Amino acid sequence: DPVRVVTVGPTVDEVIADPLSEKWQDFSIELCGGTHLTKSSEARAFSLVQETALAKGVRRVICLTGDAAFKAASEAEALRARLEATAGLSGAALQAEQKALQKDISEAVISVSDKHELQQQVEALTRRLIALQKEEYSRVMDGAMQAVGTALEENKPFVIYHIPDSGAITPKVGGDIGKKTKKTPIAVFLVQANQEEDTVHIFASVPKPLQGKLSAKDWVENAGTVAEVKGGGSPACFNGKGAGVGHLPAIVSAAADAAAVLN
C-alpha cells in the first residue's frame, strides 16, 4: 500500500532517485504520522514538552503547537517569576514556597528546556534554603544553650525559652538540647510559634532526678492545654504541637506555673 513520506532537507523525489545513498542519514526522512499542516507557519508556536523511551533505540516526543504552546511558555514565565520572588522570602515562607515550586515545576506542562532550567534554579534555591536553615539552627541552638547556661549559673531548676518563628524546627532543636542537657540538673521547656501555619510547637526535657515532681509529658500537655497540644515522647523528653499562635503567652505562663514544683 502506498504511504506518505515526509522529509526535512532533501525533497522526496531526490531521495527516491537515490534511495541507498548514505547522505540521507544526515536528514529526517519519515513515514507520515499525520502532520495536518501544509506549512510550518500554521503551527504559530512549537514546544517540546516530553521525551520518553518506548523501547531500546525508540524514543517518543510529545509536542505542542498553537495556543497550547503559547500557554506552556506563559506557564514557564509564571514559574520563573515565582522563583525570582523567593529572593524576598525567608524562614517558613521560603521553605513552603520551595516545596510548592518543586511540585508545580515537576507537574507543569512546559517545554523540556524550560523545565530543566527551572529545576536547576529550584536546586539552587534548595541549597540556599539548607544553608539558611543551618545558620538559623546554629543561632537558635546558641541562644537556647546560653539560656540554659544562665539558669545553671543562677541555680535555677528549669528554663523556658521562646524560639523565634524561623526555619529551625522545635523538635530538632529540642532533641539536640535534650542530649546536651541530659546530665545537667535542669529541665528545659522550648516553645515556638509558626505564624504561617498558626501553630505552636513545644518541646520539654526533664532529667531523671526531677521526673518524680514533673515529667516532660505532663509539662507539655498541661502548659499546652489552651492550644490543645498533642504529641508524643516519654517522661524524659516530649514533643507537642497545637493550634493558635495567640496562645503563646498563656502557654509560657502555664509552663512557668507547672515548673514551680521544681523550685
Side-chain angles (χ1 to χ4, degrees):
D1 293 332
V3 295
R4 183 182 178 211
V5 175
V6 178
T7 66
V8 177
T11 66
V12 174
D13 290 337
E14 290 173 333
V15 174
I16 293 175
D18 189 9
L20 301 181
S21 175
E22 293 185 359
K23 64 183 179 182
W24 306 139
Q25 299 297 320
D26 297 330
F27 300 94
S28 177
I29 302 170
E30 315 292 343
L31 295 179
C32 176
T35 57
H36 310 295
L37 296 173
T38 57
K39 53 185 177 181
S40 60
S41 62
E42 292 178 1
R44 295 168 47 230
F46 178 87
S47 181
L48 194 160
V49 297
Q50 190 179 92
E51 180 185 3
T52 57
L54 295 181
K56 185 177 180 180
V58 180
R59 309 287 295 179
R60 169 183 285 169
V61 294
I62 297 177
C63 306
L64 303 176
T65 60
D67 290 341
F70 284 120
K71 181 179 178 181
S74 177
E75 185 171 355
E77 283 303 312
L79 289 167
R80 193 171 286 110
R82 284 175 59 187
L83 274 163
E84 292 175 357
T86 60
L89 300 179
S90 62
L94 177 60
Q95 186 173 5
E97 182 65 351
Q98 180 260 351
K99 289 182 178 179
L101 279 166
Q102 276 187 322
K103 178 177 181 295
D104 293 346
I105 290 173
S106 175
E107 296 176 354
V109 181
I110 58 179
S111 76
V112 171
S113 59
D114 280 338
K115 179 166 290 191
H116 177 69
E117 175 197 340
L118 292 169
Q119 286 176 331
Q120 285 187 318
Q121 292 183 33
V122 168
E123 289 175 4
L125 175 62
T126 301
R127 291 192 294 271
R128 172 189 158 211
L129 180 61
I130 291 172
L132 290 173
Q133 287 176 333
K134 287 181 178 179
E135 291 176 5
E136 185 64 20
Y137 170 80
S138 296
R139 188 182 70 79
V140 170
M141 281 293 293
D142 289 345
M145 289 307 298
Q146 184 177 357
V148 170
T150 300
L152 286 170
E153 290 174 1
E154 297 175 355
N155 294 316
K156 292 182 178 179
F158 69 91
V159 62
I160 297 174
Y161 184 73
H162 174 206
I163 298 176
D165 185 2
S166 63
I169 305 301
T170 303
K172 168 63 175 170
V173 174
D176 289 347
I177 288 179
K179 293 176 183 178
K180 288 179 177 291
T181 60
K182 186 176 182 180
K183 296 183 179 181
T184 62
I186 190 168
V188 180
F189 186 96
L190 305 176
V191 61
Q192 179 187 36
N194 186 317
Q195 297 288 340
E196 184 175 350
E197 296 179 357
D198 193 29
T199 57
V200 288
H201 298 259
I202 303 175
F203 169 85
S205 66
V206 179
K208 193 168 185 178
L210 299 179
Q211 290 172 22
K213 296 181 179 181
L214 179 67
S215 72
K217 179 178 183 296
D218 290 341
W219 201 6
V220 170
E221 291 184 341
N222 291 341
T225 298
V226 67
E228 299 182 350
V229 170
K230 304 293 182 184
S234 67
C237 295
F238 198 87
N239 278 304
K241 182 179 180 180
V245 298
H247 297 310
L248 185 62
I251 291 172
V252 171
S253 177
D257 291 342
V261 300
L262 300 176
N263 290 319

